[in-house]
Amino acid sequence: NGKIGIIPDFIPQDEMRYLRQDAGNLYHQNEFSTDALASYGSSGKFDPAKDRAVLKLQQWKDQDIGDWRLRQRFGSRIKILREDLSYNLNRPGMLVGDSVSKYGEGSTEISYTRFGPGAFLKRHVDEHHEELKGPAGWSKPTRRSLSWLIYLNEDWDADKHGGCLRCFERRAPTIGMPGSRGTGDLQIGWLKATPSENFERPVFMDAQHSGAGANSGMCAMYVDDKSSEGGRKYISKNFHAQPTLYIGGSEFLVQSTLLNSKDLAQRFRLIETPKSAVTDFLQAKESEAEDERTHDVEPRGGTLVVSFV
């Protein structure tokens, strides 16, 4: 429905504190590494003490550092969550092949993450359509299907300390399941609601559009429509996808050159705001668009946040 899932107290406070202690110990033992992906407001200066620091997957699985048995038990808890979501979201691929063997206990890309004072990540989505990844597209046997995080903060006051996760949810109700389809067609946009259709429709990209001929490399956008052949209604011309789809100005190009009608063009919005140096500067506070609603999640210890793509 274009929103996130939040479960307070997903893990008991005792377990949360043990995990926090393990993470703190490993940080002070220099097992974390910085990735220089965080931003620092107006200063923009990299500071390893303030940057996002991560205990990466390989260290997380290392039996010789920290409380490995604690992390293994936590992985078992996440494995159960994974199985429940696979069933309820009808994503059986989350429980087969590399999806259940590659990452170890819990079968998920998992890490400890620490943000220093003032550090934050800019607005982003966690997964893109394979056709929008350039040469790296379709090169891996799995993709990210769900993003989740569990906060390990203790005695946190968001009014005093900040640190909320800002999510950009849709204002209007949606019809159909957003995110992706089993064929690998990820959602790339929305059709906004209208006076005659008071809900939004997720827009997916078909990277193997049969209407363009086998192995043509052509893509097309569609929405779910039970009255159309195959349950899909194609709303764009055939096109070759490029990673530049999310660069500033690209939404206008999609609206003006790819969509099948003026009405569709007026309704279409990309799922991720196009990026440029100018938009980064103007949207430093990352305010919501007219068809969005911001939801700030307080980073209280034990809280689970889940989004899917």
Side-chain angles (χ1 to χ4, degrees), residues 161-298:
H161 304 128
C164 290
L165 172 67
R166 171 154 290 186
C167 303
F168 294 83
E169 300 180 336
R170 307 303 298 174
R171 283 187 179 274
T174 62
I175 186 171
M177 178 72 76
S180 68
R181 294 293 174 264
T183 51
D185 299 345
L186 266 66
Q187 183 182 353
I188 65 167
W190 295 95
L191 287 185
K192 294 173 59 178
T194 67
S196 60
E197 187 174 86
N198 62 350
F199 49 80
E200 295 190 324
R201 294 180 180 271
V203 178
F204 304 92
M205 189 167 81
D206 179 357
Q208 300 175 349
H209 184 33
S210 59
N215 301 317
S216 67
M218 300 296 283
C219 301
M221 290 183 277
Y222 68 89
V223 295
D224 292 335
D225 183 6
K226 293 180 180 179
S227 64
S228 298
E229 183 179 355
R232 301 177 175 187
K233 180 179 180 180
Y234 285 90
I235 63 171
S236 77
K237 303 173 184 176
N238 298 328
F239 62 95
H240 286 288
Q242 298 290 337
T244 53
L245 188 65
Y246 288 113
I247 291 177
S250 57
E251 189 170 73
F252 172 76
L253 291 176
V254 172
Q255 293 167 333
S256 59
T257 63
L258 294 182
L259 296 172
N260 289 339
S261 71
K262 184 177 179 180
D263 171 67
L264 291 171
Q266 291 174 338
R267 296 177 62 188
F268 181 79
R269 293 292 182 273
L270 286 171
I271 197 169
E272 181 177 14
T273 305
K275 300 291 195 301
S276 71
V278 174
T279 57
D280 281 350
F281 175 77
L282 294 177
Q283 298 176 2
K285 294 186 178 180
E286 299 184 312
S287 58
E288 63 193 34
E290 62 177 10
D291 50 354
E292 296 176 325
R293 178 183 291 112
T294 55
H295 184 170
D296 291 344
V297 182
E298 292 193 20

Side-chain angles (χ1 to χ4, degrees), residues 17-309:
R17 282 191 286 269
Y18 289 137
L19 287 164
R20 176 184 172 86
Q21 182 178 28
D22 184 48
N25 291 339
L26 292 169
Y27 177 76
H28 291 296
Q29 293 166 15
N30 296 319
E31 296 291 350
F32 280 55
S33 55
T34 55
D35 54 19
L37 291 178
S39 299
Y40 309 99
S42 59
S43 69
K45 296 179 180 178
F46 172 72
D47 182 344
K50 295 181 179 179
D51 193 54
R52 183 176 81 157
V54 180
L55 182 82
K56 295 183 178 180
L57 177 66
Q58 205 57 41
Q59 285 71 40
W60 173 275
K61 295 193 299 184
D62 191 337
Q63 301 182 28
D64 296 325
I65 63 173
D67 193 339
W68 175 73
R69 293 192 182 279
L70 172 68
R71 298 195 300 274
Q72 188 179 46
R73 289 195 300 272
F74 178 76
S76 297
R77 182 187 294 276
I78 297 302
K79 179 181 179 182
I80 295 172
L81 172 67
R82 181 192 190 91
E83 291 170 349
D84 287 345
L85 290 172
S86 173
Y87 174 78
N88 286 288
L89 294 175
N90 191 26
R91 296 191 177 186
M94 292 170 59
L95 297 179
V96 297
D98 280 357
S99 295
V100 293
S101 60
K102 184 175 181 180
Y103 298 119
E105 191 67 37
S107 184
T108 182
E109 186 179 0
I110 190 170
S111 63
Y112 284 136
T113 304
R114 175 190 183 274
F115 282 85
F120 64 94
L121 292 182
K122 295 179 181 179
R123 179 178 178 176
H124 64 281
V125 297
D126 281 338
E127 182 65 293
H128 291 98
H129 197 295
E130 294 297 319
E131 285 293 324
L132 301 177
K133 295 180 180 180
W138 307 105
S139 63
K140 297 181 179 180
T142 63
R143 70 167 182 87
R144 182 175 297 194
S145 183
L146 296 165
S147 291
W148 61 268
L149 62 85
I150 294 176
Y151 288 110
L152 302 180
N153 299 311
E154 198 166 27
D155 299 325
W156 194 269
D157 183 343
D159 292 334
K160 182 186 299 183
H161 304 128
C164 290
L165 172 67
R166 171 154 290 186
C167 303
F168 294 83
E169 300 180 336
R170 307 303 298 174
R171 283 187 179 274
T174 62
I175 186 171
M177 178 72 76
S180 68
R181 294 293 174 264
T183 51
D185 299 345
L186 266 66
Q187 183 182 353
I188 65 167
W190 295 95
L191 287 185
K192 294 173 59 178
T194 67
S196 60
E197 187 174 86
N198 62 350
F199 49 80
E200 295 190 324
R201 294 180 180 271
V203 178
F204 304 92
M205 189 167 81
D206 179 357
Q208 300 175 349
H209 184 33
S210 59
N215 301 317
S216 67
M218 300 296 283
C219 301
M221 290 183 277
Y222 68 89
V223 295
D224 292 335
D225 183 6
K226 293 180 180 179
S227 64
S228 298
E229 183 179 355
R232 301 177 175 187
K233 180 179 180 180
Y234 285 90
I235 63 171
S236 77
K237 303 173 184 176
N238 298 328
F239 62 95
H240 286 288
Q242 298 290 337
T244 53
L245 188 65
Y246 288 113
I247 291 177
S250 57
E251 189 170 73
F252 172 76
L253 291 176
V254 172
Q255 293 167 333
S256 59
T257 63
L258 294 182
L259 296 172
N260 289 339
S261 71
K262 184 177 179 180
D263 171 67
L264 291 171
Q266 291 174 338
R267 296 177 62 188
F268 181 79
R269 293 292 182 273
L270 286 171
I271 197 169
E272 181 177 14
T273 305
K275 300 291 195 301
S276 71
V278 174
T279 57
D280 281 350
F281 175 77
L282 294 177
Q283 298 176 2
K285 294 186 178 180
E286 299 184 312
S287 58
E288 63 193 34
E290 62 177 10
D291 50 354
E292 296 176 325
R293 178 183 291 112
T294 55
H295 184 170
D296 291 344
V297 182
E298 292 193 20
R300 297 181 183 275
T303 298
L304 168 71
V305 183
V306 180
S307 65
F308 62 92
V309 291

